[in-house]
Amino acid sequence: MSLPDVVTREEWLASRKSLLAKEKELRRAQDALNTERRSLPMVRVDKKYTFIGPDGEVGLLDLFSQRHQLIVQHVMFDPEWDAACPNCTAGIDEMSGGLFRHLEERETRYVFVARAPYEKLAAYSATRGWDLPFYSAQHSDFNYDFNVSFRPGEPVTWNYRDEAELRAAGLGGYADDPGEQPGMSCFLRVGEDVFHTYSTYARGVDFAGSYSILDITALGRQEEWEEPKGRATALKNIFPMFES
C-alpha cells in the first residue's frame, strides 16, 4: 500500500505552505467562476410543464412553493425501473433536513424530479426513509427538454454536446444508449414568470453543503462580498414578491 512519505515537522510545514498557496489560488479561481456563472443570461420558460406530487398535479411555478429560486435535481429513475439509480440514491441518502432549511432561508427550494410514476417515487422514498419533495415528470416533456431523458430515435444532446461531439470526445456510448442521466437545473421566479438560469450534468452535480449548491444559482449565497454586487437587494427593490 502506498502511504505518504514520513518527514520532519519542518519539511511537512514547507510542503503544506506550498499546497496552501495552490489551494488559495484555486479558491480565487472558483470565486471568479461563480461570479461568471451568476452573470449568465437567463431564458424565460414559456412551455407548460406538469408534475405529479403528494398533492396531485402541479406546474413548474408551484414547485417554487413561493420561494424566489428553484433547484431541481434530475434523479435517474426510469418508469420501468423498480428503484432509482444507486448513485443518485447514495447522494440523496446523505442529504439532511438542515440542508433544505438553510437553502429555504435564502429563498431557494430544492426538489427532486424523475420520470418514474409518483407511486413508485413515494414507495421507494418510504423504503429509504426519505421525507423529501419528490415529483414525477412522467407525463411531461420536462426531462427531455432539459436533456436528462432521451426518446428513442431522436438526436442526442447530452452535457452540451451533440452526437458528433460526444463521439469525438470518446463518449459514443452516450449517443448510442443515453438512457437516464443525472443533472441539476436552476430556475428564478420573477412575479409569475419563471426563468431557466443554469443546468449542469455528469460530475457537475458533485456538490456538498448548501453554500456550494447556492453557488450554482443566479442569486448565489446572497452575501455582500459576491459579484455582481447587490443583486439580491436590487431584486427586492424592483419586484415586491422578493419581499415575501
Side-chain angles (χ1 to χ4, degrees):
M1 179 171 61
S2 177
L3 296 174
D5 294 336
V6 177
V7 298
T8 66
R9 174 58 62 180
E10 290 73 19
E11 290 171 319
W12 179 89
L13 186 58
S15 295
R16 180 64 190 94
K17 286 184 174 181
S18 175
L19 180 61
L20 178 61
K22 295 176 181 177
E23 289 174 337
K24 288 182 177 294
E25 181 181 358
L26 177 61
R27 181 61 65 190
R28 286 190 290 270
Q30 185 66 56
D31 287 341
L33 181 63
N34 291 337
T35 296
E36 188 172 351
R37 184 186 292 115
R38 289 190 294 273
S39 299
L40 280 172
M42 59 187 183
V43 179
R44 186 190 304 272
V45 180
D46 292 320
K47 191 170 185 177
K48 303 302 181 185
Y49 295 106
T50 58
F51 307 87
I52 304 298
D55 299 318
E57 185 175 294
V58 296
L60 182 59
L61 185 62
D62 298 311
L63 299 188
F64 283 78
S65 190
Q66 299 301 312
R67 301 293 176 180
H68 303 159
Q69 296 193 119
L70 172 70
I71 300 174
V72 172
Q73 179 173 335
H74 302 284
V75 178
M76 298 168 63
F77 199 154
D78 187 277
E80 301 300 318
W81 300 351
D82 293 322
C85 150
N87 289 338
C88 294
T89 297
I92 297 170
D93 275 342
E94 295 176 358
M95 292 183 166
S96 70
L99 170 68
F100 299 101
R101 288 194 300 273
H102 293 161
L103 291 174
E104 291 193 355
E105 286 172 359
R106 288 167 174 80
E107 291 296 328
T108 303
R109 191 174 188 227
Y110 192 111
V111 304
F112 303 87
V113 172
R115 276 203 313 122
Y118 180 72
E119 293 74 16
K120 278 191 175 182
L121 299 180
Y124 188 64
S125 293
T127 66
R128 304 300 303 183
W130 297 339
D131 182 18
L132 301 170
F134 245 115
Y135 297 88
S136 171
Q138 183 182 16
H139 303 297
S140 170
D141 291 336
F142 186 75
N143 271 33
Y144 300 110
D145 289 350
F146 287 90
N147 301 119
V148 289
S149 298
F150 307 87
R151 293 185 177 95
E154 292 189 357
V156 172
T157 297
W158 181 73
N159 204 9
Y160 304 103
R161 289 169 168 165
D162 62 20
E163 180 175 339
E165 291 170 322
L166 287 169
R167 295 192 187 284
L171 301 171
Y174 289 104
D176 296 329
D177 184 20
E180 297 286 312
Q181 295 297 329
M184 294 175 70
S185 293
C186 301
F187 303 88
L188 180 66
R189 179 172 69 94
V190 181
E192 298 298 302
D193 294 325
V194 174
F195 298 86
H196 175 222
T197 61
Y198 186 72
S199 284
T200 186
Y201 309 96
R203 290 195 64 191
V205 303
D206 292 348
F207 296 104
S210 59
Y211 277 152
S212 61
I213 292 172
L214 287 166
D215 281 341
I216 69 171
T217 70
L219 301 185
R221 304 182 186 193
Q222 299 159 47
E223 296 182 354
E224 289 301 321
W225 60 269
E226 289 180 302
E227 300 285 350
K229 292 291 187 185
R231 172 169 290 181
T233 302
L235 284 170
K236 288 180 182 178
N237 293 334
I238 295 170
F239 302 108
M241 51 77 62
F242 272 81
E243 295 292 350
S244 62

